[in-house]
Amino acid sequence: MSKRLRSNDICADCSVSDPRWASINRGVLICDDCCSVHRSLGRHISQVRHLTHTPWPPSLLQMVQTLVSNGANSIWEHSLLDPTALSGKRKTSPQDKVHPNKAEFIRAKYSMLAFVHRLPCREEDSAAAKDLSKQLHSSVRTGNLETCLRLLSLGAQANFFHPEKENTSLHVASKGGQILQAELLAVYGADPGAPDASGKTPSDNARQAGHHELAERLVEIQYELTDRLAFFLCGRKPDHKNGQHFIIPQMADSSLDLSELAKAAKKKLQSLSNHLFEELAMDVYDEVDRRETDAVWLTTQNHSTLVTETTVIPFLPVNPEYSSTRNQGRQKLARFNAHEFATLVIDILSDAKRRQLGNPITSPKDNVEIVLKSVNNRHASESHDNDQPDYDSVASDEDTDQEPTAKANRAKSMDSDLSDGPITLQEYMEVKNALSASEAKIQQLMKVNSNLSDELRLMQKKASKLEKQNSMPDSDYDNAANDLEPDEAGTCRKGKLKSIGRHEENPILELDNPDTEPDSTLPSTEDVIRKTEQITKNIQELLRAAQENKHDSFMPCSERIHVAVAEMAALFPKKPRSEMVRASLRLLTSSAYRLQSECKKALPAEAGPATDIQLVTQQVIQCAYDIAKAAKQLVTITTKENTN
């Protein structure tokens, strides 16, 4: 990280010193508190990245550094800096609370653009936008980034095709060797694969003009989406210089028999039109960004910050430009566990490669498929309250058409339509729903393939057959070990102790034991916070080990987390009356159990040649995040109940 970028800098939104985050598309530095608000707005408003804990392409970092140095923040605070403006608004200070003070200011500043210089009303039409785009087309040949950012803020289009010049702004910047302008245009959606009138792409222009570094960077930008997905799973990127444009990671448990539903879901994914497939890929890209940024939060925040409201973005924020169907589909991605999400990512990478190469749809046995359970969509819709997360409110438009959206700079445009028939957005959503329904089956496979704890082996001896685990009921957290088997009426046949403890005689929870009376008492908020801080401190140690590739430290860390979770769960009644408490405790204990199972895979004695240690690490991080999220939920619940 450049020292110049961090020396003497303050948060662009509240003036706190030493900000540790950057908003790439706004060209500003922001502090932790303000970053939490930026993230809640969504990537369509602000694209955040940590200055030191996330990788930066050198030219992208230099672009942000240049904008910060040249006062890009004045673009977003124009009227606040104008002494003649009588807006009555003021900028927030370090002493202001995050909610509502800083949050309201940041939303006004970036979502509503309340302080941006406005054109006279008579000029705010399509002709004015075209004129702004022409000015941008001309300005990118220079190194004045702030001017171009100002034009973009006023409505200039990054993908504008100049009718007289017969090319785009990115062609002009590439020919002139303006790599920072190219980065800025790409951030605002310029397509690096767009041809000019003669069929040349921006990278062709850069290479022809001798700007080879820029040409190589444009190729990287062109494959940004698939590169990011591959890096998320295996920590490696393709070697574009040598013609390798895709990496398709392999799953460790690849010898799975495919159900008919799994094959149908795979075929439906392949049959999506290029437009819908691109939308799905972009949604998964945004979810990868959310998960990775959450992991950075856990490694960089003080261990007590989980009890605040500034650390967690539970699912992708609503984008008002998308339909309600798509927004809800995007939010459901947060419910995928690490294994399911990795499978979806691999399937998207595989199909993206197939589509770009123009290969026809084939149906060989795919070793990265996931075994899906049969799902009755009608039943799922009827039981929405039980197995769907709470979503932000979105417009209830019944629009299932393909809404027009700007072509993503992260995805290469696809020319051929591989759809074998009209595919609706509802069918597109069925693919996601089918994948999200596979949690119980995946947990069974993980149990079969993992070295289980003594507790689980004792509990399994009580089960008549291992296949009975196939009938585990669905719930918000069906990854809990040894769920109860329902009878036809949906009630529990027999109560089972739910425990992640080492000894059966000392169970942690009896959430589903019918012999246990519901108890409405809750522990004190102070006790819950104290245990949460201990859990978070242990999670930080685990994440530091993951960051430093100290995989032999995973098990000791998971043991300490296991003990802290047991102490946390012991604070609560055996059978809490509140369903919210029960759900949070299930997530807490089952995630701690899964964490131990995943950490064992990293042990030298357990890791085999087929083990993808990067994928294991991602699963460990996801389990740790789920534990932290559950602890945060319990703090919130007890705080609310104890103050009432």
Side-chain angles (χ1 to χ4, degrees):
M1 187 68 230
S2 170
K3 292 183 179 179
R4 284 192 299 159
L5 187 54
R6 302 201 62 192
S7 62
N8 301 322
D9 282 313
I10 60 174
C11 174
D13 298 331
C14 72
S15 301
V16 167
S17 61
D18 195 27
R20 300 190 295 176
W21 297 81
S23 174
I24 298 174
N25 58 322
R26 303 298 179 175
V28 297
L29 302 184
I30 50 180
C31 67
D32 289 3
D33 285 347
C34 292
C35 178
S36 69
V37 181
H38 278 249
R39 292 189 63 216
S40 71
L41 300 179
R43 294 188 73 256
H44 58 288
I45 300 296
S46 183
Q47 301 172 22
V48 301
R49 187 181 296 223
H50 197 275
L51 295 178
T52 57
H53 283 71
T54 49
W56 283 81
S59 52
L60 182 62
L61 175 60
Q62 188 180 356
M63 185 268 287
V64 174
Q65 177 181 358
T66 302
L67 287 173
V68 171
S69 301
N70 291 338
N73 193 40
S74 64
I75 295 174
W76 315 111
E77 297 183 355
H78 175 82
S79 63
L80 294 179
L81 301 174
D82 185 357
T84 64
L86 301 176
S87 62
K89 301 290 185 179
R90 71 169 184 88
K91 184 171 181 174
T92 53
S93 66
Q95 293 74 33
D96 285 323
K97 294 181 178 180
V98 178
H99 299 285
N101 306 78
K102 292 182 181 180
E104 290 179 355
F105 173 76
I106 291 170
R107 290 191 185 97
K109 181 177 176 180
Y110 300 108
S111 292
M112 296 179 283
L113 300 179
F115 315 123
V116 171
H117 174 67
R118 299 287 185 179
L119 296 173
C121 294
R122 59 185 177 83
E123 296 183 17
E124 290 185 344
D125 52 23
S126 59
K130 184 176 181 180
D131 182 62
L132 288 170
S133 298
K134 287 185 175 181
Q135 291 182 48
L136 177 66
H137 189 277
S138 176
S139 298
V140 294
R141 69 181 70 251
T142 72
N144 195 330
L145 283 178
E146 187 189 0
T147 297
C148 293
L149 181 60
R150 192 179 302 277
L151 290 169
L152 289 165
S153 74
L154 292 173
Q157 299 300 304
N159 266 321
F160 175 73
F161 190 89
H162 201 293
E164 289 83 26
K165 307 293 184 181
E166 297 185 323
N167 58 13
T168 68
S169 297
L170 192 53
H171 286 92
V172 176
S174 302
K175 186 176 181 179
Q178 296 291 342
I179 189 169
L180 303 188
Q181 295 283 21
E183 290 282 3
L184 179 61
L185 290 169
V187 166
Y188 274 83
D191 183 3
D196 61 12
S198 60
K200 293 181 180 179
T201 64
S203 60
D204 293 333
N205 277 10
R207 193 170 289 107
Q208 185 175 353
H211 307 300
H212 298 291
E213 179 185 356
L214 174 54
E216 293 170 0
R217 175 60 184 148
L218 287 169
V219 173
E220 291 179 356
I221 293 173
Q222 186 169 336
Y223 290 95
E224 180 187 345
L225 188 148
T226 51
D227 284 3
R228 179 78 177 273
L229 299 190
F231 189 82
F232 172 74
L233 290 184
C234 64
R236 294 184 292 119
K237 291 185 178 181
D239 186 359
H240 297 292
K241 293 182 181 179
N242 293 322
Q244 180 195 28
H245 298 310
F246 294 91
I247 289 180
I248 313 295
Q250 299 296 310
M251 298 289 281
D253 52 350
S254 58
S255 56
L256 305 180
D257 293 329
L258 301 186
S259 67
E260 291 303 315
L261 181 57
K263 295 176 183 178
K266 178 71 172 181
K267 182 178 180 182
K268 191 159 290 186
L269 177 66
Q270 293 175 333
S271 299
L272 289 175
S273 67
N274 286 323
H275 175 74
L276 286 182
F277 178 79
E278 184 180 278
E279 284 187 350
L280 175 59
M282 291 167 62
D283 294 347
V284 170
Y285 177 99
D286 288 347
E287 175 64 13
V288 164
D289 182 82
R290 186 193 69 83
R291 294 188 181 208
E292 289 186 333
T293 307
D294 274 342
V296 172
W297 267 112
L298 288 174
T299 61
T300 59
Q301 301 300 294
N302 181 279
H303 67 268
S304 65
T305 56
L306 278 183
V307 303
T308 73
E309 299 180 355
T310 65
T311 54
V312 175
I313 304 299
F315 43 73
L316 292 174
V318 169
N319 185 335
E321 294 184 3
Y322 297 161
S323 68
S324 61
T325 303
R326 183 177 179 187
N327 272 313
Q328 291 186 356
R330 284 164 56 86
Q331 293 173 343
K332 289 176 183 176
L333 290 173
R335 299 185 64 209
F336 284 32
N337 68 16
H339 192 286
E340 288 176 325
F341 191 63
T343 303
L344 177 59
V345 169
I346 290 173
D347 286 343
I348 288 176
L349 285 169
S350 301
D351 213 49
K353 180 178 181 180
R354 178 188 65 80
R355 290 172 186 248
Q356 177 165 332
L357 297 179
N359 294 337
I361 297 176
T362 58
S363 56
K365 183 174 180 179
D366 192 332
N367 68 349
V368 299
E369 267 290 5
I370 194 170
V371 178
L372 302 177
K373 294 193 326 178
S374 297
V375 179
N376 187 312
N377 290 332
R378 182 177 304 163
H379 172 73
S381 63
E382 291 173 353
S383 58
H384 176 85
D385 290 340
N386 293 327
D387 55 3
Q388 299 296 328
D390 294 330
Y391 299 126
D392 288 351
S393 59
V394 293
S396 57
D397 57 349
E398 298 301 325
D399 175 26
T400 58
D401 295 332
Q402 299 177 2
E403 67 272 15
T405 59
K407 180 167 288 296
N409 70 301
R410 307 184 302 269
K412 181 177 176 63
S413 59
M414 323 241 181
D415 296 326
S416 60
D417 188 350
L418 300 175
S419 173
D420 54 5
I423 305 297
T424 68
L425 201 54
Q426 178 61 33
E427 291 174 311
Y428 153 67
M429 289 304 305
E430 287 175 4
V431 176
K432 293 181 179 179
N433 291 337
L435 286 170
S436 65
S438 64
E439 176 69 39
K441 184 66 177 179
I442 291 304
Q443 289 305 311
Q444 179 198 356
L445 293 171
M446 290 174 65
K447 293 169 191 172
V448 172
N449 292 320
S450 301
N451 180 18
L452 301 180
S453 66
D454 294 338
E455 165 63 14
L456 181 58
R457 283 198 294 269
L458 289 171
M459 296 175 77
Q460 284 178 323
K461 289 179 182 178
K462 297 179 181 179
S464 60
K465 291 182 181 180
L466 182 63
E467 287 76 11
K468 286 185 178 180
Q469 295 178 21
N470 288 337
S471 61
M472 290 192 297
D474 290 330
S475 70
D476 283 352
Y477 306 109
D478 0 277
N479 53 9
N482 293 292
D483 279 338
L484 302 179
E485 296 178 359
D487 59 21
E488 292 181 358
T491 59
C492 295
R493 296 177 186 165
K494 180 180 179 182
K496 293 184 181 179
L497 298 181
K498 297 221 174 205
S499 171
I500 61 170
R502 289 189 172 277
H503 306 290
E504 188 175 15
E505 62 269 22
N506 183 29
I508 291 177
L509 298 174
E510 293 178 332
L511 300 180
D512 298 308
N513 192 336
D515 298 328
T516 303
E517 290 297 324
D519 190 342
S520 60
T521 61
L522 292 176
S524 69
T525 303
E526 292 76 13
D527 288 343
V528 176
I529 290 176
R530 187 169 61 254
K531 296 301 182 184
T532 298
E533 290 178 344
Q534 185 60 46
I535 291 173
T536 311
K537 182 179 179 180
N538 293 329
I539 287 176
Q540 286 181 318
E541 294 177 0
L542 175 65
L543 295 178
R544 278 194 293 269
Q547 189 176 22
E548 297 169 3
N549 293 321
K550 295 180 179 178
H551 304 114
D552 55 344
S553 299
F554 281 9
M555 275 307 297
C557 290
S558 70
E559 291 288 351
R560 288 190 288 272
I561 294 172
H562 171 95
V563 172
V565 166
E567 293 176 352
M568 172 79 142
L571 295 175
F572 291 83
K574 294 295 185 182
K575 189 174 183 179
R577 185 178 300 276
S578 168
E579 177 58 36
M580 292 178 62
V581 172
R582 292 200 298 271
S584 297
L585 287 170
R586 286 193 189 98
L587 177 60
L588 182 74
T589 56
S590 63
S591 298
Y593 164 79
R594 288 194 299 115
L595 177 64
Q596 284 194 301
S597 178
E598 292 299 331
C599 287
K600 286 179 181 178
K601 296 179 183 179
L603 293 174
E606 299 288 335
T611 301
D612 188 337
I613 196 64
Q614 292 292 339
L615 180 55
V616 171
T617 300
Q618 287 294 336
Q619 292 171 333
V620 166
I621 291 174
Q622 183 62 39
C623 290
Y625 170 72
D626 288 341
I627 293 170
K629 180 170 67 173
K632 166 64 166 56
Q633 290 171 349
L634 290 170
V635 170
T636 302
I637 294 169
T638 54
T639 301
K640 181 179 179 181
E641 292 297 325
N642 290 332
T643 55
N644 287 342

